[in-house]
């Protein structure tokens, strides 16, 4: 993947885009709509019944054409073909990234056999009440122990698709902070609880610590001599280590090495989802993602939603100098979508080393953050209206049923994107105050505080509903957007060497082998020990 590599800023199309950015520095979106009644039509795209409206982004058709030319010069089509053909797009670790094979969009690597029958049969048996604990009681609660990709994706999808009254209660525990597991155990009965240890390496410190605590809890209640394997299952690539922990061999479900953690929700990592939502809806999730895969692979770049999302995000980051992306889903079920996307984007593209080993001269991943509307409107949207930063936003809006509260939710989403684009100038602020009958002196005093500059850029993604199919398409859309940006930047979106540094330091501190510490860390260790003794 390093042959004939040219760093992005050295490409002619990159330099052309810099000229477009200078041209559009003072672009007023409100004036752009006033002068071009067809702006929405020319800057929005559909795939199936998913609509992406890019018309509130700070670009025009000429800049968009230049972005498409950048994709061509960056040989993005070659990258997409390599991704689907099991080439080693993960070039540092020398392996493919074939999470799409899990949803049937491309074949697995040569010699790999995909058989999800065992995990599906186990999940179905759990839902049917056929899996029993060591005392003979049916398992009625599953607690997933995992972190990162073994938690964020399954947890987010579970929250989006959960329904009341499931046959088996499902919970997720990620934090090594004892409180999260303690709270889950307080709702559980030992003889009817099963723990799923989700760890690709079966060496993740947080997950193993929680697994050991869960085993101690079971032993205290049920007795070690009874054997606790009936209360454990595991999803891991390290099947031997899982068996050594005490998980029965037939309950260790393999996670292929070529599936990255943050892309693993489609794999056996989805075991708790299969339990919670059932096989039919899990298949619909896969089908929605597969439909987006095919669109990404086949659609011309000018109509390709992941390509356009990636290019416009890159435009905001590298050419307009915007350092964050606010993700605003108007759906309670997507309350953890931003957390899932933080890992997907920032762990994938939070890199600086290029394919040839040089250091990137341009910005890579933005800081991703956000929260659900309308809750966020009463928390952090003030910054959007009157703060000092321009912040790109993704509004994710499932239309849903024709019901008064749902209609109000959608109205709020559309009103936010419009108000943040249009803003309110000083004359508008004065008029609003005068309409309230305030005296002239009070109008003069308050008017500056009501001004909102507007011109905040946003994309709106409109879905008919938040069901399994459309959620799968949405997740795959963002997965491919991340690949587009990583390919153009020239970084590897599929490794995560950086996070290992902190893990190494934590292990060294735990073993008392941290070596010479900086003054702050050494003092903090001493202060913490003093608090333990006196607390």
């Amino acid at each position: 993947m390093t042959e004939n590599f040219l760093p992005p800023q050295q490409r002619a199309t990159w330099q052309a885009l810099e000229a477009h950015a200078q041209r559009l520095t003072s672009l007023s979106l409100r004036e752009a709509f006033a002068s071009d009644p067809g702006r929405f039509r020319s800057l929005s795209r559909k795939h199936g019944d998913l609509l992406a409206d890019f018309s509130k982004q700070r670009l025009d058709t000429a800049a968009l054409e230049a972005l498409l030319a950048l994709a061509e010069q960056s040989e993005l089509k070659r990258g997409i073909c390599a991704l689907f053909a099991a080439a080693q797009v993960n070039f540092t670790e020398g392996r493919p990234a074939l999470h799409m094979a899990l949803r049937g969009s491309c074949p697995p690597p040569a010699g790999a056999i995909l058989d999800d029958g065992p995990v599906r049969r186990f999940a179905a048996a759990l839902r049917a009440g056929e899996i029993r604990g060591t005392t003979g009681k049916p398992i009625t609660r599953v607690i997933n122990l995992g972190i990162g990709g073994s938690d964020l994706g399954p947890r987010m999808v579970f929250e989006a698709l959960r329904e009341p009254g499931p046959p088996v209660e499902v919970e997720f525990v990620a934090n090594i902070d004892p409180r999260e597991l303690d709270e889950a155990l307080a709702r559980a009965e030992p003889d009817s609880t099963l723990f799923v240890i989700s760890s690709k390496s079966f060496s993740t410190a947080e997950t193993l610590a929680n697994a050991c605590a869960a085993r101690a809890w079971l032993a205290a209640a049920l007795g070690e001599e009874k054997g606790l394997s009936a209360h454990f299952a595991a999803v891991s690539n390290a099947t031997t280590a899982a068996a050594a922990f005490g998980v029965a061999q037939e309950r260790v479900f393999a996670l292929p090495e070529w599936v990255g953690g943050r892309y693993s929700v489609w794999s056996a990592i989805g075991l708790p989802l299969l339990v919670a939502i059932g096989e039919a809806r899990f298949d619909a999730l896969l089908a929605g993602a597969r439909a987006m895969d095919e669109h990404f692979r086949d659609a011309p770049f000018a109509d390709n939603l992941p390509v356009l999302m990636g290019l416009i995000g890159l435009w905001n980051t590298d050419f307009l100098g915007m350092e964050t992306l606010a993700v605003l889903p108007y759906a309670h079920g997507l309350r953890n979508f931003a957390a899932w996307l933080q890992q997907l984007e920032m762990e994938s593209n939070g890199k600086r080393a290029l394919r040839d080993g040089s250091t990137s001269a341009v910005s890579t991943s933005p800081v991703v953050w956000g929260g659900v509307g309308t809750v966020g409107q009463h928390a952090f949207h003030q910054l959007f209206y009157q703060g000092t930063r321009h912040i790109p936003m993704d509004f994710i809006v499932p239309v849903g049923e024709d019901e008064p509260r749902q209609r109000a939710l959608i109205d709020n989403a559309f009103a936010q994107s419009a108000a943040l684009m249009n803003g309110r100038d000083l004359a508008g602020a004065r008029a609003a105050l005068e309409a309230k009958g305030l005296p002239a002196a009070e109008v003069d005093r308050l008017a500056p505080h009501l001004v909102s500059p507007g011109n905040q850029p946003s994309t709106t993604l409109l879905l008919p509903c938040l069901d399994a199919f459309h959620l799968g398409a949405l997740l795959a859309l963002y997965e491919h957007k991340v690949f587009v940006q990583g390919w153009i930047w020239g970084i590897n979106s599929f490794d995560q060497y950086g996070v290992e540094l902190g893990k190494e330091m934590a292990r060294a501190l735990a073993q008392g082998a941290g070596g010479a510490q900086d003054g702050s860390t050494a003092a903090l260790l001493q202060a913490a020990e003093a608090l333990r003794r006196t607390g």
Side-chain angles (χ1 to χ4, degrees):
M1 294 293 143
T2 60
E3 64 276 10
N4 302 319
F5 174 69
L6 189 67
Q9 78 280 6
Q10 296 180 23
R11 300 168 200 161
T13 48
W14 191 275
Q15 296 159 26
L17 280 161
E18 290 176 336
H20 280 289
Q22 290 181 353
R23 177 177 62 82
L24 295 171
T25 296
S26 59
L27 173 70
S28 163
L29 287 169
R30 179 164 51 182
E31 292 175 3
F33 274 96
S35 62
D36 180 9
R39 183 175 172 85
F40 173 83
R41 186 171 59 254
S42 61
L43 290 173
S44 63
R45 301 290 188 275
K46 287 190 70 175
H47 169 58
D49 49 12
L50 192 157
L51 169 69
D53 173 21
F54 304 115
S55 62
K56 291 190 179 78
Q57 291 288 348
R58 289 171 59 183
L59 47 65
D60 57 14
T61 54
L64 182 57
E65 288 172 4
L67 286 166
L68 293 168
L70 173 65
E72 295 289 350
Q73 189 181 16
S74 303
E75 297 185 293
L76 177 59
K77 189 63 179 178
R78 180 170 71 90
I80 294 172
C81 291
L83 179 68
F84 278 83
Q88 293 183 358
V89 291
N90 183 345
F91 51 83
T92 55
E93 297 175 308
R95 62 189 184 208
L98 279 181
H99 44 283
M100 293 180 299
L102 300 166
R103 50 208 194 213
S105 299
C106 60
I113 299 174
L114 290 181
D115 180 13
D116 60 358
V119 70
R120 285 175 177 258
R121 287 190 292 270
F122 184 67
L126 276 167
R127 287 175 61 85
E130 297 170 2
I131 304 296
R132 298 179 180 272
T134 191
T135 66
K137 279 192 174 183
I139 296 296
T140 57
R141 184 177 296 271
V142 169
I143 300 178
N144 186 76
L145 305 177
I147 199 167
S150 298
D151 170 78
L152 290 167
R155 187 193 293 251
M156 183 268 293
V157 175
F158 166 75
E159 290 175 345
L161 301 180
R162 70 185 303 180
E163 292 180 349
V168 178
E169 293 288 344
V170 174
E171 292 193 66
F172 294 84
V173 171
N175 205 324
I176 198 173
D177 183 335
R179 180 167 178 171
E180 186 173 23
L181 180 59
D182 289 348
E183 289 179 352
L185 297 181
R187 295 185 287 270
E189 296 293 336
D191 52 4
S192 59
T193 298
L194 179 130
F195 296 92
V196 178
I197 306 172
S198 297
S199 173
K200 184 176 182 179
S201 64
F202 215 84
S203 63
T204 308
E206 298 90 341
T207 299
L208 289 186
N210 281 329
C212 289
R215 185 169 58 186
W217 176 76
L218 288 169
L222 303 176
E224 193 76 55
E225 70 281 357
K226 290 190 175 182
L228 304 177
S229 62
H231 295 271
F232 283 100
V235 181
S236 179
N237 189 49
T239 55
T240 301
F245 179 87
V247 183
Q249 183 176 0
E250 67 275 11
R251 291 189 177 183
V252 181
F253 305 105
L255 177 62
E257 181 63 25
W258 37 267
V259 177
R262 55 194 174 275
Y263 298 92
S264 65
V265 68
W266 322 99
S267 70
I269 289 292
L271 170 58
L273 290 179
L274 278 163
V275 175
I277 68 176
E279 196 166 4
R281 288 202 293 162
F282 191 80
D283 284 339
L285 183 78
L286 297 176
R290 187 164 57 248
M292 185 57 68
D293 293 341
E294 293 166 357
H295 169 71
F296 178 52
R297 182 192 62 204
D298 299 335
F301 287 173
D303 297 313
N304 193 308
L305 297 191
V307 171
L308 293 170
M309 289 272 293
L311 290 172
I312 291 172
L314 186 145
W315 165 257
N316 286 329
T317 298
D318 286 302
F319 297 99
L320 299 186
M322 301 180 193
E323 296 184 343
T324 79
L325 171 65
V327 183
L328 310 171
Y330 275 68
H332 180 67
L334 294 177
R335 58 192 176 277
N336 264 336
F337 187 85
W340 169 79
L341 189 60
Q342 282 174 335
Q343 186 195 24
L344 178 66
E345 292 223 22
M346 294 196 286
E347 191 168 88
S348 295
N349 288 343
K351 317 275 175 65
R352 62 176 58 204
L354 303 183
R355 292 177 209 162
D356 60 1
S358 63
T359 300
S360 177
V362 304
S363 296
T364 55
S365 174
V367 176
V368 178
W369 63 290
V372 293
T374 57
V375 177
Q377 295 173 199
H378 295 266
F380 52 80
H381 282 217
Q382 167 65 34
L383 177 70
F384 300 152
Y385 281 102
Q386 293 184 312
T388 57
R389 296 170 176 85
H390 283 104
I391 300 174
M393 289 162 270
D394 283 358
F395 288 88
I396 303 172
V397 187
V399 174
E401 298 178 356
D402 188 6
E403 188 265 347
R405 287 177 301 172
Q406 185 66 21
R407 277 182 167 269
L409 184 69
I410 306 310
D411 290 345
N412 270 273
F414 296 162
Q416 290 291 306
S417 67
L420 288 166
M421 180 192 74
N422 288 311
R424 178 164 55 186
D425 60 15
L426 185 61
R430 292 184 63 85
L433 293 168
E434 289 167 353
K436 294 180 179 181
L438 295 180
E442 191 69 355
V443 170
D444 291 341
R445 185 180 73 85
L446 289 178
H449 299 279
L450 272 67
V451 171
S452 293
N455 224 32
Q456 293 281 29
S458 67
T459 290
T460 297
L461 295 173
L462 202 61
L463 292 67
C465 59
L466 187 59
D467 61 6
F469 180 88
H470 291 96
L471 180 60
L474 182 68
L475 303 192
L477 169 61
Y478 276 93
E479 284 182 353
H480 295 318
K481 168 208 162 180
V482 165
F483 176 78
V484 167
Q485 293 179 333
W487 180 269
I488 294 174
W489 281 320
I491 57 180
N492 182 359
S493 298
F494 300 106
D495 64 11
Q496 58 274 337
Y497 288 114
V499 299
E500 296 302 319
L501 178 59
K503 293 180 182 179
E504 292 169 9
M505 177 64 76
R507 286 193 293 267
L509 292 177
Q511 296 165 2
Q517 300 297 333
D518 63 86
S520 171
T521 303
L524 288 170
L525 286 167
Q526 293 173 2
E529 185 58 34
L531 288 172
R532 286 192 195 97
R533 291 195 300 267
T534 60

